Amino acid sequence: MLTATRKLLELIRFSHTVFALPFAALSAALAWRDEPFRWEDLVGVLLCMVFARSAAMAFNRVADRHIDARNPRTAGRHLPAGTLTVGTVWLFTLICCVGFVASTLIFDLREPANPWPLYLALPTLLFVLGYSLAKRFTSLAHFWLGAALMLAPVAAWVAIRGFTEMTVPLLLGGAVGFWVAGFDILYACQDAAFDKDAGLHSVPARFGIPRSLRIAAGCHAVMFALLVGLYFASPHLGGVFLAGLGAVGALLAYEHWLVRPDDLTRVNRAFFHVNGVISLGLLAVVLVQLAVR
């Protein structure tokens, strides 16, 4: 059981929850400035995030198992390598889907009740799972993934405050969306040749690596602009947040310096390390800002 659990956590790259969860927590922290803090809200946000992401990643591995088996870079993943069975991963996916829907009940059972998370649970889940099929028919798959992760801060806000004063979560969600799309394009550069030969759709396969790197940089420029907009939209953000934005800009520049059209060997460092620092760093900056303001 412990071995299977470890393999499932490796399969869904549980540690990569660090990309979206800090933004959901950031959105929740801003929402709680104008809404009473409730422990059930915190538990609900955390459970919904973990279950939704785990379901999406597991479904992605099942949907892509034959593609992964043909790609030398991904042939060692658990399903192509046979270290986990398709039935096990399907069962895990279903458990996570049920866990996500059940977790939304927390907000409906609290006082005052907020039924919106439960009402939106199924369409949200279908949209998040749908990303796994997108590269079969559109090069905009990276932006579908961005939109899926954009839901994290938006959904956290709606779960806590409902559909009130949505400018802040939409700006934050938009920043997350373009950030994710940008670094996913960088990551997909590794598979540009394979995707093209396999008939799969991606920005690198369609436009080539040099142009794709510029598109990714443009996405991150939009992300930065939306975070600046967040500063002006939220009355709770000040100088500490601005200083943090300066650091984010430097990290984004470093990320794009790492990845060159003729040298993709440092993509993983850009993808995993730099972006992990950005997400956790922004959360830390906002928490400090809220503490001193």
Side-chain angles (χ1 to χ4, degrees), residues 237-261:
L237 300 177
V240 175
F241 181 74
L242 277 182
L245 282 188
V248 168
L251 286 168
L252 290 172
Y254 175 62
E255 180 176 0
H256 287 276
W257 176 82
L258 284 173
V259 183
R260 315 284 179 82

Side-chain angles (χ1 to χ4, degrees), residues 68-85:
D68 288 343
R70 292 157 51 198
N71 185 344
R73 186 180 67 81
T74 58
R77 287 177 175 172
H78 295 76
L79 286 176
T83 57
L84 282 172
T85 66

Side-chain angles (χ1 to χ4, degrees), residues 85-163:
T85 66
V86 175
T88 298
V89 180
W90 264 123
L91 178 61
F92 178 76
T93 303
L94 292 174
I95 289 172
C96 290
C97 288
V98 172
F100 170 72
V101 175
S103 297
T104 63
L105 285 168
I106 293 173
F107 304 100
D108 196 29
L109 297 175
R110 75 174 198 195
E111 188 61 42
N114 180 3
W116 281 111
L118 179 60
Y119 294 162
L120 298 173
L122 185 57
T124 297
L125 195 59
L126 291 174
F127 182 81
V128 171
L129 296 180
Y131 156 72
S132 296
L133 307 177
K135 64 184 176 184
R136 291 161 174 78
F137 59 87
T138 177
S139 298
L140 297 176
H142 315 281
F143 296 93
W144 191 321
L145 178 62
L149 270 72
M150 169 186 178
L151 292 175
V154 174
W157 182 281
V158 170
I160 293 169
R161 299 197 60 191
F163 289 94

Side-chain angles (χ1 to χ4, degrees), residues 99-288:
F100 170 72
V101 175
S103 297
T104 63
L105 285 168
I106 293 173
F107 304 100
D108 196 29
L109 297 175
R110 75 174 198 195
E111 188 61 42
N114 180 3
W116 281 111
L118 179 60
Y119 294 162
L120 298 173
L122 185 57
T124 297
L125 195 59
L126 291 174
F127 182 81
V128 171
L129 296 180
Y131 156 72
S132 296
L133 307 177
K135 64 184 176 184
R136 291 161 174 78
F137 59 87
T138 177
S139 298
L140 297 176
H142 315 281
F143 296 93
W144 191 321
L145 178 62
L149 270 72
M150 169 186 178
L151 292 175
V154 174
W157 182 281
V158 170
I160 293 169
R161 299 197 60 191
F163 289 94
T164 60
E165 301 179 13
M166 290 295 294
T167 302
V168 167
L170 288 175
L171 284 170
L172 181 58
V176 172
F178 279 100
W179 172 59
V180 171
F183 73 62
D184 193 57
I185 291 170
L186 291 180
Y187 192 71
C189 286
Q190 299 176 104
D191 295 327
F194 173 81
D195 287 348
K196 195 169 184 178
D197 291 341
L200 299 172
H201 299 272
S202 71
V203 166
R206 180 173 181 178
F207 296 107
I209 292 174
R211 289 181 67 187
S212 296
L213 296 182
R214 292 194 291 272
I215 293 171
C219 288
H220 287 159
V222 174
M223 172 217 182
F224 190 82
L226 289 170
L227 289 176
V228 172
L230 178 65
Y231 164 77
F232 288 103
S234 174
H236 305 302
L237 300 177
V240 175
F241 181 74
L242 277 182
L245 282 188
V248 168
L251 286 168
L252 290 172
Y254 175 62
E255 180 176 0
H256 287 276
W257 176 82
L258 284 173
V259 183
R260 315 284 179 82
D262 57 348
D263 182 9
L264 299 177
T265 59
R266 295 178 292 186
V267 165
N268 284 338
R269 191 195 309 177
F271 183 80
F272 301 121
H273 299 168
V274 177
N275 288 307
V277 172
I278 287 174
S279 59
L280 289 173
L282 265 178
L283 174 60
V285 164
V286 169
L287 292 178
V288 171

